Structures are given as C-alpha cells and as structure tokens.
Amino acid sequence: MTDTALEAAALGKRFGRLRRSAGWALRDCSFALPAGRVCAVVGPNGAGKSTLLTLAAGLTAPTEGSLAVLGGPAGRARARVGFVAQDKPLYPQLTVAETLRMGADLNPGRWDARAAERIVTDGDLNPKARIRSLSGGQRTRVALALTLGKRPELLLLDEPMADLDPLARHELMGVLMSQAAQHGTTIVMSSHVVAELEDSCDHLLLIGGGRVRLAGEIDELLETHARVSAAAGTDLTPHTVVESRTTAAGSPP
C-alpha cells in the first residue's frame, strides 16, 4: 500500500502527430491525490478529464511528464485498478451472468462475487439477458458490478452516473461510499455536473483547458477561495485569480 494514489508531475498528453496543429488534451499538470479519498474530477466537456483517467488506468502513455499510480508506473498497477470508461464497453453478445463469470476468471484470488451480484440484483437485471439488449443505465450497472467485483485499490469512474435516473444514482453512490469506507478504496469520479459529487467527495481536482486549476481538500478550498462579481477592469491584486469570465453586460462573475 502507498500513501499516494495518484501523483502527476508536469503531466501532458498530446494527440495527433508531432506538429504545430496537434492538440494537447492535458498540459503541465501537477497534483497529488492521497490514498483512501473520494475525489471529484470536475470541469467542462473537453477539459481533459477522460484523458486523465485513461492515463491513470494505464491505457495510454503520457506525452510528457509522469503519472505515478499507487506508487509506481500506471501500467504496472492495472491489476489493482478498476476503470469504468464513459462509454461502458462490454461484450454485447455475452449475458449478464457470463460477463460476471468472465470477471471472476480474469481476476482469480481477487474476485468479490457478492459485491458484483448485489449491484446486478438490486437493478432487477435478468442474469440471462444479453448485454446488447440492456438500456444504458442497465449497462452502467453491469460495468460497475464488473469493476467492483475486482475489489480494486483505485477505482476510476468516468461520468459514471450519466445514464442513471436520480434514484439509481443515489443508490449506487451509496454502494461506492460503502466500498470506500469498508475497504479503503480510493475513488476518482469525473463529471461536468458538480452537484452530482459535492455531497460525496472530500477531494477536488478542477481541470480547465487541459490544465489543473485547483487541487486539494474540498473543505480547505472552500475556506480559501471565493467567487467575486465586479465591474470589468476592477483591480483584484494582490488576490490570485483562478479563472475570470466576462458576461455580455461587461462584468466578470
């Protein structure tokens, strides 16, 4: 075990060929996430949240800088990391039961059948139903069951609640919080809807334009940051401005 779940140093990821027009999804990102926390990764669509989680899952490599996962290179930690991507990729021809059996076969010695089956059962899913016949919310349940059954030390969730109704979101968030409390799992959840995560997370990573804007304990950030509305051109020194916007009326909120 390590005290730090994720640690980035000048992390950057560029897509496309090495040319001037290539786009940076992340650039010069540095932060440290203590182990055992529930972290919200927030920011607008296209901010770089999915890219960060894909790097942490070891599915792609940084273009520059480094990202340590559970104390070592991301690729070496895959057996200890669970990842649910935004599109919830599953084998459409398999049934729900076959998908969970596959999870057990791929994770010998780590598989928690009770945890996986509980998520499926609570959703009233037919074990014989094929994945291709399920709704988006049902596929989300199966993906979460497959990932939690692995009993990961680090759980990465990319927009995990997007396909769920409010009741299902509340229920599955309770399952995730129980996982964190009982097993000390570090949970990192991305969303562009802050309200989904504000009552459950104790750590925040705010990403905008491919860069880390804020990172730290939520309570500490709330104590040391404020939102100010002022007329355009107002001198805010010596304050550090994290982000400013100018409205149509001319005043930055």
Side-chain angles (χ1 to χ4, degrees), residues 135-218:
S135 68
Q138 290 173 326
R139 287 196 296 272
T140 295
R141 278 189 175 274
V142 176
L144 285 171
L146 193 61
T147 305
L148 287 176
K150 184 180 179 179
R151 187 66 67 79
E153 296 176 35
L154 173 62
L155 180 58
L156 307 169
L157 304 173
D158 192 3
E159 301 276 1
M161 308 300 175
D163 296 325
L164 300 176
D165 59 68
L167 181 61
R169 291 184 188 185
H170 178 75
E171 175 193 335
L172 286 177
M173 191 62 74
V175 172
L176 294 175
M177 295 306 101
S178 175
Q179 178 84 6
Q182 292 182 24
H183 306 295
T185 307
T186 303
I187 299 177
V188 182
M189 293 185 288
S190 75
S191 179
H192 64 279
V193 182
V194 179
E196 287 185 353
L197 307 177
E198 60 184 355
D199 294 331
S200 304
C201 300
D202 54 21
H203 203 91
L204 175 70
L205 190 62
L206 174 62
I207 299 179
R211 298 178 184 270
V212 174
R213 304 297 184 180
L214 285 174
E217 301 293 313
I218 289 180

Side-chain angles (χ1 to χ4, degrees), residues 20-46:
R20 184 174 299 177
S21 61
W24 288 91
L26 293 172
R27 192 77 189 270
D28 196 27
C29 295
S30 297
F31 64 89
L33 173 63
R37 301 305 179 93
V38 180
C39 178
V41 181
V42 300
N45 288 330

Side-chain angles (χ1 to χ4, degrees), residues 14-190:
R14 176 169 51 187
F15 292 99
R17 295 182 178 179
L18 299 180
R19 58 188 181 188
R20 184 174 299 177
S21 61
W24 288 91
L26 293 172
R27 192 77 189 270
D28 196 27
C29 295
S30 297
F31 64 89
L33 173 63
R37 301 305 179 93
V38 180
C39 178
V41 181
V42 300
N45 288 330
K49 304 185 300 296
S50 295
T51 299
L52 176 61
L53 294 185
T54 302
L55 287 166
L59 299 180
T60 187
T63 303
E64 63 182 19
S66 64
L67 178 64
V69 178
L70 298 175
R76 297 181 186 176
R78 288 192 188 120
R80 302 157 63 194
V81 175
F83 177 45
V84 176
Q86 193 169 1
D87 56 354
K88 284 85 175 181
L90 297 166
Y91 290 105
Q93 72 275 19
L94 296 183
T95 66
V96 173
E98 289 169 344
T99 299
L100 296 188
R101 283 200 298 271
M102 178 188 69
D105 291 341
L106 293 175
N107 298 278
R110 296 182 63 92
W111 185 251
D112 187 341
R114 181 177 298 179
E117 291 169 2
R118 173 190 169 191
I119 295 175
V120 168
T121 301
D122 288 349
D124 294 325
L125 296 181
N126 181 356
K128 297 181 180 180
R130 296 195 182 278
I131 298 299
R132 62 171 171 257
S133 70
L134 303 181
S135 68
Q138 290 173 326
R139 287 196 296 272
T140 295
R141 278 189 175 274
V142 176
L144 285 171
L146 193 61
T147 305
L148 287 176
K150 184 180 179 179
R151 187 66 67 79
E153 296 176 35
L154 173 62
L155 180 58
L156 307 169
L157 304 173
D158 192 3
E159 301 276 1
M161 308 300 175
D163 296 325
L164 300 176
D165 59 68
L167 181 61
R169 291 184 188 185
H170 178 75
E171 175 193 335
L172 286 177
M173 191 62 74
V175 172
L176 294 175
M177 295 306 101
S178 175
Q179 178 84 6
Q182 292 182 24
H183 306 295
T185 307
T186 303
I187 299 177
V188 182
M189 293 185 288
S190 75

